[in-house]
C-alpha cells in the first residue's frame, strides 16, 4: 500500500471540500478535450509531451491504482490490460509501454477513455469522505491538476506542428496591460525559514522546512516582457557567446535557436492559433539557458529558489494573478503578483532538502527520483489550476526544455 508522498495533515473538516475539489478537477480535465477530436487527442509531438487522451487516462489510472485497488473493497480493474498503457513511470507498478510510444495508442478511443473516467469517478464516491484517505486523495487531486497543465502545454505543442496552425479555442485574445517600469522587492538578507510549514497539502519535495542564509538581494516586481525580449534579440543576444552558459551556447548553436519557442516574426503560436505578440505581455516558452543569458545581458541574474520563496511567502497571494480557472485559452498578460502568467526560472538545482526521505511504496516515486540535472521553477503559470501552487512549491524541468509556460523574473545582489 503506498503511503502518501504529501507533507502535512489534511483535517477531517477539509474532506468535504476535498470531495468538491475532486469533482471540479475531474470535470475540468474533461472540459479540456471538448474542443478536440479523437485524432487531436491522440497526437504526441515529442517524447516530453503526451497525448491529451493519455493524460485523461493516466490520471484515471492513478485513482484506480492507488485509491480504488487498494482501498475500495471488492473493486475490480475496469480493464486488466490498461495499466500497462497508462502507468507513467512507477517501477513499483510494473512494466509499461515506452514514453515515446504513447502517441501510437489509437485504442482505446477517446470516448472509451471518457467512459472509464466516468466509472472511476463514480467508484471513488464512497472513499471521498474517509479521513484516513484524505492525504492520498489530496495527492490525487494535485496530481490531476498537474496533468491539466501538462495537457494544455502538450496539446499546444502538438497543434503547433500542423502547418495550418489550428486553434484549440476561438475567441478574443486577452490584452496585456502596459508594462510598468521594472521595480524591485528589496530583502535585507539574513536567516530565512524555507519549505512547507505543514499547513494543508504539499508535495514531499517541499520539505523538510529548514533554515537558509540569504545575502541582501532584490527581486524584480514583474516578469520580463516580449518587448524586452525583442530588445535582447535586436542587440544580438543569441549571437553573443559571452552571455551564455557553455551548455546553453552549445544548445543555441546545435539547435539553431534564435527566439523563444512558438515565435515567428511578430507572431507567436497560441491556443488560439497564430496571433500577433503583445510587447507588453510577459515573454514565455523560454529555456533556462535563455533566461540565464537574458539576465546576464540585463546586468542581473536569476534568483535562487530561496530568494524567490522569501519574497513570495511574506506578501504574495498564491491564488492571485493570471492562473487557470476554466477551459479557456491560457495566455500570459502580466500583473504585479509573484504567482500567475509564467513559471519563473531560478538558478537553483533541483535537489533534496536537508533531511528529505523518499516515502515508502509506489507513491514515493513521485518526486525524489527526479532530483538530478534539473532546475527549479517557482510561482504558477496561466495554465496552472488556480490555488494549486504555493510559496514553497517546486516545479522542475531540464534547462533546455521550454514547452511549458516558462518566464523570467530578474534578481540582483543588493
Ligand atoms: Fe502523473
Amino acid at each position: 500500500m503506498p503511503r502518501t508522498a504529501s507533507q502535512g495533515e489534511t483535517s477531517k473538516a477539509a474532506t468535504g471540500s476535498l470531495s468538491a475539489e475532486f469533482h471540479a478537477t475531474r470535470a475540468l480535465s474533461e472540459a479540456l478535450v471538448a474542443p478536440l477530436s479523437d485524432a487531436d487527442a491522440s497526437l504526441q509531438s515529442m517524447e516530453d509531451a503526451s497525448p491529451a487522451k493519455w493524460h485523461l487516462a493516466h490520471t484515471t489510472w492513478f485513482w484506480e491504482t492507488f485509491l480504488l485497488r487498494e482501498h475500495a473493497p471488492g473493486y475490480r480493474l475496469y480493464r486488466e490490460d490498461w495499466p500497462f498503457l497508462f502507468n507513467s513511470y512507477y517501477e513499483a507498478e510494473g512494466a509499461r509501454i515506452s514514453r515515446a510510444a504513447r502517441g501510437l495508442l489509437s485504442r482505446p478511443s477517446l470516448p472509451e477513455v471518457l467512459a472509464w473516467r466516468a466509472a472511476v469517478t463514480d467508484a471513488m464516491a464512497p472513499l471521498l469522505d474517509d479521513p484516513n484517505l484524505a492525504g492520498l486523495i489530496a495527492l490525487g487531486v494535485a496530481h490531476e491538476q498537474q496533468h491539466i497543465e501538462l495537457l494544455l502545454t502538450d496539446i499546444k505543442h502538438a497543434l503547433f506542428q500542423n502547418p495550418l496552425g489550428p486553434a484549440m479555442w476561438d475567441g478574443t485574445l486577452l490584452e496585456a496591460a502596459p508594462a510598468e517600469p521594472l521595480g524591485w522587492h528589496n530583502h535585507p538578507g539574513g536567516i530565512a525559514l524555507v519549505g512547507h510549514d505543514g499547513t494543508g497539502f504539499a508535495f514531499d519535495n517541499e520539505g523538510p522546512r529548514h533554515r537558509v542564509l540569504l545575502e541582501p538581494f532584490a527581486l524584480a516586481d514583474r516578469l520580463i516582457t516580449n518587448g524586452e525580449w525583442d530588445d535582447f534579440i535586436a542587440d544580438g543576444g543569441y549571437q553573443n557567446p559571452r552571455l551564455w552558459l557553455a551548455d546553453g551556447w552549445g544548445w543555441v548553436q546545435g539547435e539553431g535557436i534564435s527566439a523563444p519557442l512558438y515565435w515567428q516574426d511578430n507572431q507567436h503560436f497560441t491556443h488560439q492559433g497564430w496571433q500577433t505578440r503583445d510587447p507588453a505581455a510577459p515573454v514565455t516558452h523560454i529555456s533556462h539557458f535563455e533566461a540565464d543569458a537574458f539576465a546576464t545581458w540585463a546586468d542581473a541574474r536569476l534568483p535562487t529558489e530561496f530568494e524567490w520563496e522569501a519574497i513570495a511567502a511574506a506578501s504574495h497571494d498564491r491564488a492571485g494573478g493570471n492562473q487557470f480557472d476554466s477551459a479557456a485559452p491560457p495566455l500570459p498578460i502580466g500583473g504585479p503578483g509573484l504567482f500567475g502568467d509564467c513559471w519563473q526560472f531560478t538558478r537553483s538545482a533541483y535537489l533534496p532538502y536537508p533531511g528529505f526521505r523518499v516515502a515508502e511504496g509506489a507513491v514515493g516515486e513521485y518526486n525524489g527520483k527526479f532530483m538530478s540535472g534539473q532546475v527549479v521553477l517557482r510561482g504558477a503559470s496561466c495554465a496552472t489550476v488556480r490555488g494549486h501552487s504555493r510559496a514553497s512549491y517546486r516545479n522542475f524541468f531540464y534547462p533546455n526544455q521550454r514547452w511549458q509556460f516558462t518566464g523570467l523574473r530578474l534578481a540582483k545582489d543588493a
Side-chain angles (χ1 to χ4, degrees), residues 58 88-90 143 147:
H58 163 69
S88 51
Y89 53 67
Y90 294 83
H143 171 255
H147 278 278

Side-chain angles (χ1 to χ4, degrees), residues 2 13 91-92 110 170 242 305 330 383:
E91 301 290 347
L110 181 58
D170 296 323
R242 286 191 300 278
E305 62 170 319

Side-chain angles (χ1 to χ4, degrees), residues 109-190:
S109 67
L110 181 58
E112 287 174 307
V113 167
L114 290 170
W116 182 29
R117 286 184 64 88
V120 164
T121 298
D122 286 349
M124 278 294 300
L127 306 188
L128 294 175
D129 296 324
D130 182 345
N132 296 318
L133 298 178
L136 207 46
I137 291 168
L139 177 67
V141 168
H143 171 255
E144 185 146 350
Q145 289 173 338
Q146 289 181 318
H147 278 278
I148 284 172
E149 179 153 10
L150 291 170
L151 192 162
L152 285 163
T153 51
D154 290 359
I155 190 67
K156 182 175 181 176
H157 194 261
L159 295 175
F160 170 68
Q161 310 305 317
N162 188 326
L164 298 179
M168 180 163 167
W169 285 289
D170 296 323
T172 320
L173 275 189
L174 300 171
E175 217 167 286
E180 300 288 333
L182 202 65
W184 299 90
H185 299 291
N186 292 299
H187 193 284

Side-chain angles (χ1 to χ4, degrees), residues 281-306:
V283 66
T284 190
H285 297 300
I286 53 172
S287 69
H288 179 263
F289 294 139
E290 289 167 291
D292 186 86
F294 183 102
T296 302
W297 174 77
D299 202 20
R301 60 172 173 80
L302 301 183
T304 70
E305 62 170 319
F306 302 131

